Each structure stands twice: as structure tokens, then as C-alpha cells.
Amino acid sequence: MPRGGEIIIDATRIMDSLLNREGGTFSDRPEDSGGPTKWGWTQSALSAVYRRDVSREEVQNLTRQEAHHLYLEERWQKTGIYLIASISMRIAVELLDTNVNLPPARAGEFLQRALNALNQGGSQYADIKVDGNLGPATRAALSAYLRRRGGEGETVLLELLNDQLGCYYLDRAEKRAANEFNFYGWILNRVVKEA
């Protein structure tokens, strides 16, 4: 099991990789329902984090260092993904990546749904509540699953997480025609990309 320092070092590397993929270009395209965005942070996401209305200019002026700090604090620590990292760094990276442009609980829900479907009718570990909370029950189920299935099982679980994400994006594109402008990029950068 990684010690705390290893997780922090890996988290820093993971945040840097995430920010490199997101890029620091400010975007505010009418077809993008996220609105003003920089480093993967939308105006509404920043407003939620800061608990106040964030201006377009504040999004435009968001620095890489600020975005890095926000991902580390809001998406890695507060969501509990850092605790998943002590069980499986690959799963933690996937959950973080999913959290970039989905509501934070959605990645946890994807994990919980997959673990429930993989527990062979509860014979391997108990079903867990699908609430997005990466608490002790979810972590215990993940640990039990990986003890039984090992690296191959980790790969299967990663595929299931990506499958759910792809279906989520497809649903968004079907429900809002303007999302079709983003659909290809979502699939390429979030589903096809290497975990």
C-alpha cells in the first residue's frame, strides 16, 4: 500500500497530466453548455467551489497553479479519490478524470454500479449503495474485488467505468443537439484516452 507521501507525489503528477490534457486555453463557445471554461474548470464549477458567482474574467484569468490546487483539493481530496488511490492508482486516475466535466458524485456512482454488477450476486462482497460516496463500504468492495480478480479485474473495471462514461456522453448528445459539437472530443479525450 502506498504511503501518504507517495500518494501526494503521484497526485501532483496526475494533476499535471490532467492540466496538460485540458490545456490553458480559455473557451466560451455558445454550443458548449459548460460556458466559460479554462483548464477544465467551468464558470459554474468555480462558482460552486467558491460559493459565489464567478465572473467570466475570473475564469479567463485562472492560472495553471490555481487550477492544479483546485483539482487537488476539490476533486482529489474532498471526493475521497485519494483514498481510492491507496487501493488502485489506475482506478483513482480514472475517477478523477471523470470528475473533470461531470458532477463529482457521478464517478463514484459509476464505480459503485460496476462493483455491484461484478460481485456475483453478492457472493464476493455485499452490494453497496449507489450514492457516489467513496466511503468505507465502496473502498471495501473495491479491495475485495481486486483481491479476487487482480490486475485483470482492474482492467475490466476500468473498461466498465469508461463504458458508462461513453454512454453518459452519448445520452447528453442525444438529448441536446448542441452537445454533438463536443461529443467526438469527449469520447476521444475521456473515453478512448489511456487510463
Side-chain angles (χ1 to χ4, degrees), residues 3 6-7 76 130 133 137 142 149 157 164 174 178 183:
R3 294 180 305 275
E6 292 172 5
I7 293 172
W76 184 255
V130 179
N133 181 356
L142 176 60
R149 296 293 186 180
L157 184 54
Q164 291 179 82
E174 288 176 337
F183 183 67

Side-chain angles (χ1 to χ4, degrees), residues 84-157:
I84 297 294
S86 67
I87 302 166
S88 167
M89 187 59 76
R90 290 175 68 203
I91 299 297
V93 168
E94 182 63 31
L95 296 175
L96 175 70
D97 193 67
T98 298
N99 274 339
V100 170
N101 63 351
L102 271 63
R106 192 58 55 110
E109 291 170 0
F110 288 169
L111 176 62
Q112 291 161 337
R113 289 179 66 203
L115 287 170
N116 284 343
L118 291 165
N119 72 358
Q120 297 182 343
S123 66
Q124 305 302 312
Y125 48 87
D127 277 344
I128 48 181
K129 183 178 179 182
V130 179
D131 61 4
N133 181 356
L134 299 175
T138 300
R139 296 192 308 272
L142 176 60
S143 293
Y145 169 76
L146 291 175
R147 271 194 307 276
R148 178 160 177 81
R149 296 293 186 180
E152 178 182 82
E154 185 181 51
T155 300
V156 167
L157 184 54

